[in-house]
């Protein structure tokens, strides 16, 4: 990693911000894990309101799906597109691309989301072994235990991971669009599992809680294992992709006609940096620009 000889206040501020956010990520992961534990305890204890909610929602939505063929077909299409295999394939492709451009820690972080998420889901299903809803005339079938929902968990992990990868170099509008799409897709996949009658609502909720715990926990572990590596890889991705983005956008930028004889007007200085000042991997990153010619 190339560093200037003089003290860099932005670098110190970037590192401080990164370490200051670690407790926040740990608190989010522990909070989600605690909520998952409470939900599991209420479910295993047969808490009346939760059981009433599960059976009421599952029965109503399944009856609606049973009576509408087109509606049921659309639910099955969405649940297939949002399945664990598709979601983990997306993460695998993202991890492979990050590895190819040299962002090895970020690639490992992305791959770990898929692998650890799958392992945690499998362990919890085997430990809880909750039966799925049973219907006399089901509109869909699914094998294995019900809790937690693998579709809901995989969709939430993938959506959160992809948003985190886009976030550092996105402006406010792109961030809002990405977060909205991620939230809607996660909610929609979870809804289809309940409407098709293959999961209880608490299965889906448990999958979401566990997904947040996995993403936050892996982020904390990777940052403690290799401090600053995620931030460096984010800058590496920016350095690798910026020339390609500029080459695509360049033809769309109007330039004065040099043959017209009109003088070129000087460019005004930017009021603020091109990139947004914060990101999920350590705030402003606050270190000098990544130099690919020097080792980390």
């Amino acid at each position: 990693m190339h560093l200037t000889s003089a003290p860099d206040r932005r670098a110190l501020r970037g590192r401080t911000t990164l370490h200051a956010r670690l407790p926040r990520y740990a608190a989010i992961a522990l909070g989600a894990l605690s909520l998952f534990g409470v939900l599991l305890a209420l479910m295993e204890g047969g808490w009346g309101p939760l059981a009433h909610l599960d059976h009421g929602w599952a029965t109503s939505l399944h009856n609606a799906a049973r009576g509408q063929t087109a509606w049921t077909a659309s639910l099955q299409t969405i649940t297939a597109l949002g399945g664990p295999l598709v979601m983990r394939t997306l993460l695998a492709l993202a991890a492979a691309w990050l590895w190819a451009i040299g962002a090895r820690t970020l690639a490992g972080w992305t791959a770990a989301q898929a692998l650890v998420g799958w392992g945690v889901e499998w362990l919890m299903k085997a430990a809880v072994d909750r039966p799925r809803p049973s219907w006399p005339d089901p509109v869909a079938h699914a094998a294995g235990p019900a809790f937690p929902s693998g579709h809901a968990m995989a969709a939430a992990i993938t959506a959160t991971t992809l948003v985190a990868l886009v976030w550092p170099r996105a402006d406010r509008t792109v961030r809002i669009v990405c977060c909205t799409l991620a939230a809607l897709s996660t909610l929609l996949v979870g809804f289809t599992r309940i409407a098709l009658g293959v999961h209880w609502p608490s299965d889906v909720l448990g999958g979401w809680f566990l997904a947040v715990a996995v993403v936050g926990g892996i982020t904390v572990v990777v940052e403690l294992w290799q401090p600053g590596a995620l931030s460096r890889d984010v800058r590496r991705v920016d350095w690798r992709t910026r020339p390609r983005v500029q080459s695509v956008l360049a033809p769309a930028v109007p330039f004065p006609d040099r043959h017209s004889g009109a003088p070129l007007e000087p460019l005004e200085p930017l009021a603020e940096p091109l990139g947004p000042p914060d990101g999920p991997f350590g705030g402003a990153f606050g270190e000098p620009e990544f130099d690919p010619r020097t080792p980390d």
Side-chain angles (χ1 to χ4, degrees):
M1 187 70 190
H2 177 68
L3 298 176
T4 57
S5 57
D8 193 328
R9 294 181 179 179
R10 292 181 60 197
L12 295 176
R13 185 170 63 249
R15 295 191 188 96
T16 302
T17 304
L18 175 58
H19 289 287
R21 290 192 176 190
L22 279 181
R24 182 189 305 178
Y25 297 146
I28 292 174
L30 291 175
L33 193 60
S34 299
L35 291 174
F36 177 83
V38 171
L39 178 65
L40 179 59
L42 294 176
M43 184 191 72
E44 291 289 339
W47 191 48
L50 180 60
H52 179 74
L53 174 69
D54 276 344
H55 288 273
W57 276 48
T59 302
S60 299
L61 292 175
H62 182 263
N63 289 337
R66 185 180 57 185
Q68 301 291 335
T69 304
W71 173 247
T72 302
S74 64
L75 292 175
Q76 291 173 337
T77 301
I78 294 172
T79 202
L81 294 176
L85 180 60
V86 176
M87 295 294 101
R88 288 166 189 150
T89 300
L90 291 177
L91 291 181
L93 292 174
W97 177 73
L98 291 169
W99 185 274
I101 65 174
R104 303 296 171 84
T105 303
L106 198 56
W109 176 85
T110 304
Q113 302 294 350
L115 295 176
V116 175
W118 173 80
V120 171
E121 173 204 336
W122 184 84
L123 288 174
M124 290 307 306
K125 281 181 177 290
V128 178
D129 196 22
R130 186 186 194 186
R132 293 179 182 267
S134 179
W135 313 102
D137 51 350
V139 298
H141 298 275
F147 186 86
S149 169
H151 279 68
M153 187 175 175
I157 288 176
T158 302
T160 304
T161 302
L162 295 181
V163 168
L165 293 175
V166 173
W167 186 277
R169 304 313 303 173
D171 58 20
R172 181 180 179 86
T173 302
V174 174
R175 288 179 176 182
I176 293 175
V177 171
C178 289
C179 290
T180 302
L181 292 176
L184 289 178
S185 62
T186 301
L187 292 172
L188 191 57
V189 170
F191 174 80
T192 62
R193 305 307 289 167
I194 304 171
L196 289 174
V198 294
H199 275 294
W200 307 106
S202 55
D203 298 336
V204 173
L205 190 60
W208 289 339
F209 286 153
L210 210 53
V212 175
V214 167
V215 174
I218 291 176
T219 302
V220 172
V221 170
V222 171
E223 183 55 40
L224 291 176
W225 177 42
Q226 292 186 343
L230 289 174
S231 298
R232 290 194 296 271
D233 275 0
V234 168
R235 291 193 301 279
R236 180 178 284 107
V237 171
D238 177 54
W239 178 83
R240 293 283 189 178
T241 58
R242 186 183 299 175
R244 293 176 176 83
V245 173
Q246 290 176 344
S247 65
V248 172
L249 297 179
V253 178
F255 288 96
D257 187 2
R258 295 190 177 184
H259 299 288
S260 63
L264 297 178
E265 297 182 0
L267 296 175
E268 296 182 359
L270 293 174
E272 56 183 12
L274 290 175
D278 57 353
F281 298 123
F285 307 128
E287 300 180 12
E289 187 68 19
F290 170 72
D291 188 349
R293 299 167 298 180
T294 57
D296 291 343

